[in-house]
Structure formats: structure tokens, C-alpha cells
Amino acid sequence: MSIAFTFPGQGSQAVGMGKDLAEAFPQARAVFEEVDEALGQKLSDIMWNGPEDQLTLTANAQPALMAVSMAVMRVLEAGGLKLADKVAYVAGHSLGEYSALCAAETFTIADTARLLRIRGDAMQSAVAVGEGAMAAIIGLEQVDVDAVCTEARDAGVCQIANDNGGGQLVISGSRAAVEKAAALATEKGAKRAIMLPVSAPFHSALMAPAGNAMQHALAQVAKRDPVVPVIANVRAAPVRDADEIAQLLVTQVTGQVRWRETVEWFAANDVTTLYEIGAGKVLTGLARRIDKTVTGIAVNTPADIDAALKTLLG
């Protein structure tokens, strides 16, 4: 039986996140200061005080969520945790893969913040506002969602962006095609097909310009092999070569986040506990729905950190 650390993606952000950590732990404060300095922006002020619409902007939400995850990691490390000694694998949902790699020492905190700012800006600018869309399809199997995406492609780009498990798949692409696919999914028996309030069609072929931007950025940044393997989003299998990881991060921009398969891989490989490191509890809830043999534990408050350290080091 082994343990993995998972790291949340966009949508887990909330005004006020990380403030209790900064007030309680100097190691957490140092992370937020390092991210602010790396970005040349008081991102921590937006995180703690809002406004919410500024925090939700992709270019802010991505480094902000990483900052909270790494604040938790630094406090755990100060409490005596050595990742390579206690944790078998790391994984993160979309931008959370960068947090996972930062935790596993592939990238520094400052470089991860800058990479995520580039990623957020590039994703936002890849498609004109209003031209792309995403929708959550609830209650259809992946093969059926693939079929409606294929059928809708006469109206534009349409593909599965996230397989989140528990009967929830997210599709992404051109607005007309996604709207058509959502309607087709309802006709095929989906419980719900919900257009999502997002600013761009993430993890679709329309993100190709952002993929190019990340290829350039990742080629310039210093990187090292992670101290524990990362389960890559687009492969749902472990990787530990830094150059291969960088290429998979480029693929991830336009590729599918295979989260259901990631959790299933954990379950099949004797990983029984997933600690969700950072804001919110989204991944903890998904783990429960995907495989009941896997326990999810959210770690984002001082009390959570104390409990985790007792369990992990006890």
C-alpha cells in the first residue's frame, strides 16, 4: 500500500485561499512572497482580498493555485516530511501537473509561477472571446461522448477535454460545435449537458498557439528529473524523465486530462491514499466517485496539515 499526492486544477480557487497558512506559518508566507516577486505582481493580495473576477482570470488563477499547493508542501516539509521517503507518485489536474512537478523538484517555485503565467496568458489569447466553449456531459460513457463530438465536428472543433470520472466528461472546442454536441448528448440520454462559464476552450485543438508558447517556454527553463514519478495527464502512466515531461506538458495544452484513468492507475498499482495538496476538495470528491478502494484526503488548512503530518510521520 502506498501514497500519492495530487494537486488541484482551475476551478478550485476561492478568495481568501492560503491566507490562514500565511498567518500561521513563515514557510507559507515565504512561498507567497516568492511567487509575488517572480511575477512582479502582488498576486497574494488578489488571492486573499479579491476581487473574485481578478482571481478567476486564467493568468492569475493558475499561479495562485500553485502557490497554495506549494505553501502546503513547504509547511509539510518543515514538519519533517520528505516527499521521496513517504510518497510514491505525484499527479495534478491540468495546471495542477505543474504544481506536482514543482513539489517533486522538477521546477523551482519561481519558474513554475512564471510558466503558469505564460500558460494562462497564452491559453486566454489563443482564441477570441466567445468563439470557443466547454460543456460538462453528465451520465454518458466516454464512447458515447466521443461519438457526439465526432458528429458535431461539421460545426467546428469538438473533443473530450477532461475525463473526470464518476460519469462526468468535459468537452471543448468551437462554440457552435460544443453546443451541437451538448444537444446531441442530451438526445442520447445524458442526465445533463451544461455549458460551462469558462473564458476559453481549454484542452482542445484550438489551444495550439498556447502549445507553441509552452514549447518555447519549457525549452528555456531549468528542469530536473522529479524525485518521485509524475502520472502525466495525457498518458495516465508514470514518467520521470524531465525532457519527456516537458514534451508531455506541451501535448497537455491541446490534449485530454485523463483523470479517471489516473485514479484507476493508482488503484491498480496499490496506491490506497491520495492526499490532495492545496485549495479545495475537488480531487478528493472525484477519487471517491472513481474508485471506492482509494481514499482521498484534502490538505489545505493548518489543522489538515497537522493531521497529515501525524499520519504520514507517525
Side-chain angles (χ1 to χ4, degrees), residues 118-129 131-132 199-213 253-254:
I118 292 166
R119 185 177 185 267
D121 282 338
M123 285 177 145
Q124 195 60 67
S125 61
V127 180
V129 174
E131 286 185 11
S199 54
F202 305 125
H203 299 289
S204 79
L206 295 176
M207 290 287 109
N212 294 336
V253 176
T254 56

Side-chain angles (χ1 to χ4, degrees), residues 7-8 17 31-32 35 47 60-72 95-96 98-100 102 108-114 116 277:
F7 296 82
M17 67 181 187
V31 169
F32 297 123
V35 170
M47 291 165 61
N60 288 333
Q62 295 197 19
L65 284 161
M66 182 278 297
V68 177
S69 290
M70 288 311 301
V72 174
L95 84 90
Y98 287 80
S99 307
C102 187
T108 66
I109 288 175
D111 282 341
T112 309
R114 287 188 284 263
L116 286 171
I277 307 297

